Amino acid sequence: MRTTKEIRELYLDFFKSKGHTVISSASLIPENDSTVLFTTAGMHPLVPFLLGEKHPGGNKLASCQKCIRTGDIDEVGDATHLTFFEMLGNWSLGDYFKREAIEMSLEFLTSPDWLGLDKNLIAVSVFEGDADAPFDSEAFEIWRSVGIPEKRIAKLPKKNNWWGPAGETGPCGPDTEMFYWTGKPEEVPESFHDDNELWVEIWNDVFMQYNKTREGMYEPLVQKNVDTGMGLERTVAVMNACDIYLINTMRPIIEEIEKLSEKKYSEGGKSTRSMRVIADHIRAATFILGDERGVLPSNVGQGYVLRRLIRRAVRHGRLLGIEGKFTKNIAEKVIETLKDTYPELKKNREHTLGEIEREEERFATALDKGMKEFERLSNIDGKIAFDLYQSYGFPIELTEELSKERGFVINKNEFESEFKKHQELSRTASAGAFKGGLADHSDEVVKYHTATHLLHKALREVLGDHIEQKGSNLTAERLRFDFSHPQKVTPEEIKKVEARVNEIIHKDLPVKFEMLTVEEAKKKGAIGLFEEKYKSIGEKVKVYFVGDYSAEICGGPHVEHTGQIGAFTITKEEAVAAGVRRIKAVVS
Ligand code: SER
């Protein structure tokens, strides 16, 4: 069996041999970015660099990034959808473009030194062109020139062959996707049609050559980038000609569920589906809890997604007839399968297991009662859905799923408006929040970004050196900064911090960056998470200096001088977890 470890290593070694710097996976919780809840692709943490910031690792990068996509969470249960997955990717930040990207992709896929897939079983698609941008004849010709027959190159519309901008504006462009024939080799069709499901997409090379403007125009981008993404689990499944739940990182989880439920995965039907839901959801939950910026189950944002994942898994455990608590056993298997690649899982093991079980306990009793209540219903409406949520902790999606199973007619809008009337279920209720997005790089957000550095430094001056950043989230309207501190920040301390930040703003200090080794950065007193984030870059990190006031490891971008920020006001200070405080602030 080909394993994820083997393919991950091969991929990174291949791109290293092609002059790429291998960078570590970033956190699943995006930093500074309020447009998405989770990291959805390897390019996500690289957005500032795709927009022209200099990356300390150079302009050719490769990584294996942990990702969460919750857009099709309700489709989990079939043989291909996963909420959590590992994504392999390589990037050119203004370096190579279409020819090299395509040639390297094909070499990696087909060379016997690398994956050694049969070239005759490969097909590709390219962008066919529309009113915004022309047919990608360049990609088409390159594929032909490397020996892919014309009949195996599909020309498809934007819906299929275009990536980004994930937000309203930003870098985007045509992409070319690679497919592998998973049917019998002797039955491979001469021509490629993407509606034949035996052709499975395994890799996507995006050619970021346009910038979509606010007016909806596609302007050529100054720095042309390549952004590629290959789903690791799916590729390994294709290579082993097996179901995605039977690859090396999934099988031990499935086996544990078989043991607990005394059912066989191979049974098919509803049991198999429930096993997949449990395996996928507990895997995702374990990664969210065990992340270096882990969050806890709650009713908003990432915490709500986490809650939903655990609760849906618990219900499917009931459907399988598992008696008693089980999520912790499964989470232990998840940690075992990937702890060497993601050491944070090992580090946060106890915390993760404790929290997953606590959430299961919170829900289990209510679930049984709520199910009894549900069985009595002959129909459903928004009000009942809300009552089930409030009294028994049924996430709205669970009620939807139960309703569908019983053939009740549901009105999703009515459900949602009933929920919104009562509380903010974050942005999770609307699918839009899951689509993936680029961080907003508007002037306002950039001001808030620099203000966050000043706040961080001022907090250390006023409260002490124990202050460490635990999270940051920026919109065009406010900044939000989480940091370690054992008690409430007093009103006097808040005043002092605010005054200090404003003083630095008034001094109009220049903001500049330097590329330094980790040692040099430390010597210059730079703050930031060195070891965590930059462990595999080795050589240089990017350090932003605000005059001689603050030095912080950061990707950017920032304002040029502090006077651009305007007046700084702290609007809120509160606790978010034990030992973690949160400050919200505005500039005007
Ligand atoms: N961003 C593209 C994707 O997610 C390529 O990595 O498919």
Side-chain angles (χ1 to χ4, degrees):
M1 162 140 241
R2 307 293 294 264
T3 64
T4 49
K5 181 170 191 290
E6 189 189 336
I7 304 304
R8 192 191 299 114
E9 281 172 7
L10 271 177
Y11 185 93
L12 298 176
D13 283 351
F14 174 79
F15 282 100
K16 213 190 278 177
S17 79
K18 302 283 183 192
H20 291 61
T21 301
V22 174
I23 56 173
S24 313
S25 173
S27 163
L28 275 173
I29 314 295
E31 195 178 2
N32 294 327
D33 184 354
S34 60
T35 62
V36 278
L37 295 172
F38 294 102
T39 299
T40 56
M43 54 77 75
H44 200 150
L46 296 174
V47 168
F49 311 103
L50 294 165
L51 288 166
E53 289 287 312
K54 252 177 111 53
H55 193 283
N59 48 16
K60 290 196 267 185
L61 309 171
S63 77
C64 178
Q65 172 66 44
K66 21 179 204 178
C67 299
I68 293 249
R69 284 190 187 176
T70 46
D72 35 35
I73 199 163
D74 295 321
E75 280 171 51
V76 168
D78 65 15
T80 57
H81 284 90
L82 293 177
T83 310
F84 170 86
F85 62 100
E86 299 179 72
M87 188 186 257
L88 299 166
N90 58 283
W91 291 272
S92 156
L93 304 171
D95 192 281
Y96 58 85
F97 205 43
K98 295 184 188 181
R99 174 160 289 279
E100 295 89 328
I102 289 176
E103 283 177 354
M104 284 192 284
S105 290
L106 190 67
E107 182 184 349
F108 180 69
L109 290 175
T110 58
S111 158
D113 294 336
W114 305 101
L115 294 195
L117 294 176
D118 184 349
K119 190 170 169 185
N120 186 42
L121 302 182
I122 286 178
V124 304
S125 61
V126 299
F127 177 56
E128 71 174 2
D130 62 15
D132 296 324
F135 162 51
D136 193 353
S137 57
E138 204 183 335
F140 183 87
E141 288 307 329
I142 296 169
W143 279 118
R144 270 193 353 165
S145 76
V146 295
I148 300 295
E150 221 175 298
K151 284 187 172 165
R152 290 272 179 83
I153 311 175
K155 297 174 194 163
L156 299 176
K158 212 179 225 132
K159 173 164 86 56
N160 308 75
N161 279 80
W162 189 272
W163 214 85
E168 292 291 299
T169 60
C172 55
D175 62 27
T176 180
E177 298 187 349
M178 287 150 265
F179 295 76
Y180 197 66
W181 176 252
T182 59
K184 289 194 182 123
E186 58 278 15
E187 287 172 10
V188 61
E190 211 178 308
S191 47
F192 164 56
H193 294 286
D194 69 319
D195 52 3
N196 182 338
E197 284 175 7
L198 291 172
W199 287 108
V200 174
E201 187 214 328
I202 50 174
W203 203 351
N204 182 15
D205 288 359
V206 183
F207 305 121
M208 289 189 165
Q209 61 185 106
Y210 298 99
N211 180 38
K212 186 174 179 191
T213 67
R214 277 179 212 285
E215 294 73 41
M217 305 291 284
Y218 292 83
E219 292 171 344
L221 209 58
V222 183
Q223 173 184 304
K224 290 189 173 56
N225 309 298
V226 174
D227 154 40
T228 93
M230 178 190 256
L232 178 60
E233 291 84 350
R234 194 186 290 177
T235 304
V236 171
V238 164
M239 295 192 69
N240 290 299
C242 74
D243 171 334
I244 208 162
Y245 288 89
L246 295 177
I247 65 169
N248 65 299
T249 43
M250 304 297 282
R251 190 186 276 269
I253 306 173
I254 293 290
E255 283 169 358
E256 184 67 20
I257 302 171
E258 286 184 318
K259 210 167 81 194
L260 290 163
S261 66
E262 297 174 7
K263 291 203 164 71
K264 284 269 148 236
Y265 180 72
S266 56
E267 247 172 54
K270 281 192 179 150
S271 297
T272 302
R273 192 178 121 80
S274 288
M275 286 187 187
R276 287 172 177 164
V277 170
I278 296 171
D280 170 82
H281 286 18
I282 297 298
R283 199 165 95 111
T286 303
F287 267 89
I288 297 173
L289 281 164
D291 191 85
E292 49 274 51
R293 264 190 231 131
V295 292
L296 294 175
S298 74
N299 288 333
V300 289
Q302 291 103 347
Y304 182 65
V305 174
L306 174 60
R307 168 156 285 169
R308 224 171 113 186
L309 289 165
I310 300 173
R311 293 187 173 198
R312 187 155 180 255
V314 171
R315 188 183 76 97
H316 280 271
R318 290 285 193 283
L319 288 178
L320 277 179
I322 300 179
E323 309 254 348
K325 288 186 278 186
F326 68 97
T327 56
K328 189 171 150 184
N329 295 47
I330 313 227
E332 273 179 322
K333 290 288 166 198
V334 176
I335 297 172
E336 258 169 54
T337 58
L338 279 164
K339 64 179 190 307
D340 297 331
T341 311
Y342 303 100
E344 62 274 17
L345 291 184
K346 203 168 4 179
K347 192 167 143 209
N348 300 322
R349 184 171 185 277
E350 294 314 313
H351 162 81
T352 303
L353 297 178
E355 288 300 335
I356 210 159
E357 190 166 71
R358 241 189 304 284
E359 181 62 14
E360 178 173 11
E361 282 165 359
R362 265 194 292 259
F363 184 50
T365 338
L367 172 64
D368 297 334
K369 287 197 200 127
M371 282 308 296
K372 282 209 190 96
E373 191 68 33
F374 200 94
E375 298 307 338
R376 277 204 284 271
L377 297 174
S378 55
N379 212 336
I380 188 92
D381 61 21
K383 167 95 179 49
I384 300 174
F386 186 73
D387 286 346
L388 284 167
Y389 170 72
Q390 205 170 36
S391 313
Y392 305 107
F394 278 33
I396 181 174
E397 298 79 9
L398 175 56
T399 300
E400 266 178 55
E401 188 172 275
L402 289 167
S403 303
K404 269 191 215 150
E405 282 168 14
R406 280 157 188 74
F408 294 166
V409 181
I410 55 165
N411 180 335
K412 207 172 152 104
N413 290 340
E414 186 204 89
F415 268 32
E416 280 171 11
S417 63
E418 190 72 28
F419 272 66
K420 287 210 191 91
K421 244 197 298 190
H422 292 88
Q423 68 175 135
E424 185 209 4
L425 264 189
S426 173
R427 297 162 294 147
T428 49
S430 63
F434 298 116
K435 287 208 182 101
L438 295 185
D440 181 352
H441 279 242
S442 65
D443 291 348
E444 283 310 305
V445 171
V446 172
K447 282 184 200 170
Y448 276 114
H449 193 189
T450 311
T452 301
H453 279 215
L454 301 183
L455 171 64
H456 189 176
K457 177 67 191 221
L459 283 167
R460 288 173 82 102
E461 286 180 326
V462 175
L463 303 176
D465 282 345
H466 61 281
I467 299 294
E468 266 179 27
Q469 172 166 345
K470 291 288 173 198
S472 165
N473 180 288
L474 308 173
T475 71
E477 285 82 38
R478 56 117 183 93
L479 69 80
R480 198 177 83 193
F481 185 70
D482 297 347
F483 56 99
S484 50
H485 187 54
Q487 71 253 4
K488 189 167 173 51
V489 188
T490 66
E492 295 74 46
E493 288 166 336
I494 294 275
K495 278 222 175 67
K496 269 194 205 159
V497 170
E498 221 175 54
R500 186 66 172 140
V501 172
N502 281 314
E503 185 191 327
I504 303 299
I505 292 173
H506 283 142
K507 280 191 182 167
D508 202 17
L509 299 178
V511 183
K512 298 222 164 76
F513 71 82
E514 280 178 45
M515 303 296 227
L516 301 172
T517 64
V518 170
E519 289 314 310
E520 288 165 344
K522 279 186 182 160
K523 233 182 264 164
K524 296 208 175 189
I527 49 182
L529 301 168
F530 297 84
E531 285 81 6
E532 282 294 335
K533 264 177 107 173
Y534 296 98
K535 52 188 176 242
S536 68
I537 293 174
E539 329 89 68
K540 302 255 170 159
V541 295
K542 187 172 186 181
V543 180
Y544 267 92
F545 292 89
V546 179
D548 56 2
Y549 180 63
S550 99
E552 184 166 342
I553 296 198
C554 176
H558 286 281
V559 299
E560 284 165 9
H561 47 99
T562 58
Q564 291 169 306
I565 298 174
F568 173 87
T569 315
I570 293 177
T571 53
K572 195 164 189 178
E573 192 275 342
E574 61 188 336
V576 271
V580 182
R581 310 295 304 182
R582 167 171 292 177
I583 278 182
K584 288 188 185 163
V586 297
V587 297
S588 52

